[in-house]
């Protein structure tokens, strides 16, 4: 059995997609953990117990290496009635920032 260039391209594309999916799953788990820690430290309630992907791009780290930059959105409440938006910024698998909004959003 011989492999053609098309076969190799398909294998590379499927492998790349699988790698991206596993990497994204791991980074999302890290973002959820960061949102939970931040909610505990700020004494607020993390709503829905999860984060959602808001933006994705490529960015360089301090050493100049390219990584996937992801911004996750999460909802939290200070008083149990209002709903506010927070963001978790990840560069590769590294937590860059947890940003908390000052203005509440209506739900």
């Amino acid at each position: 059995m011989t492999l053609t260039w098309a076969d190799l391209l398909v294998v590379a594309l499927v492998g790349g997609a699988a790698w991206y999916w596993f990497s994204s799953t791991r980074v999302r788990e890290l973002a959820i953990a960061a949102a939970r820690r931040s909610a505990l430290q700020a004494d607020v309630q993390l709503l829905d117990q999860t984060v959602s992907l808001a933006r994705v791009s490529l960015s360089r780290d301090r050493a100049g290496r390219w990584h996937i930059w992801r911004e996750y959105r999460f909802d939290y409440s200070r008083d149990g009635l209002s709903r506010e938006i927070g963001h978790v910024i990840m560069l590769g698998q590294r937590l860059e920032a947890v940003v908390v909004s000052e203005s509440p959003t209506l739900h």
Side-chain angles (χ1 to χ4, degrees):
M1 175 177 168
T2 56
L3 292 175
T4 65
W5 285 105
D7 295 335
L8 292 175
L9 180 62
V10 168
V11 169
L13 288 174
V14 169
W19 169 82
Y20 178 78
W21 185 77
F22 285 118
S23 172
S24 294
T25 301
R26 175 65 182 142
V27 172
R28 184 173 181 273
E29 290 170 357
L30 294 170
I32 291 170
R36 285 185 180 148
R37 274 193 315 274
S38 295
L40 265 172
Q41 290 173 351
D43 196 29
V44 298
Q45 180 183 4
L46 178 64
L47 302 175
D48 306 325
Q49 300 302 311
T50 191
V51 298
S52 61
L53 186 62
R55 292 179 15 195
V56 177
S57 69
L58 291 175
S59 185
R60 292 180 188 255
D61 63 9
R62 291 187 181 118
R65 292 182 301 256
W66 286 99
H67 294 280
I68 299 175
W69 179 92
R70 296 174 177 96
E71 179 182 346
Y72 292 92
R73 177 185 177 271
F74 65 94
D75 294 332
Y76 67 95
S77 178
R78 294 181 192 277
D79 57 11
L81 299 174
S82 65
R83 195 171 189 97
E84 301 181 45
I85 298 174
H87 299 274
V88 177
I89 310 296
M90 302 290 294
L91 184 60
Q93 292 191 3
R94 182 172 168 236
L95 176 66
E96 289 290 302
V98 178
V99 180
V100 177
S101 169
E102 290 298 321
S103 59
T105 58
L106 299 176
H107 182 69

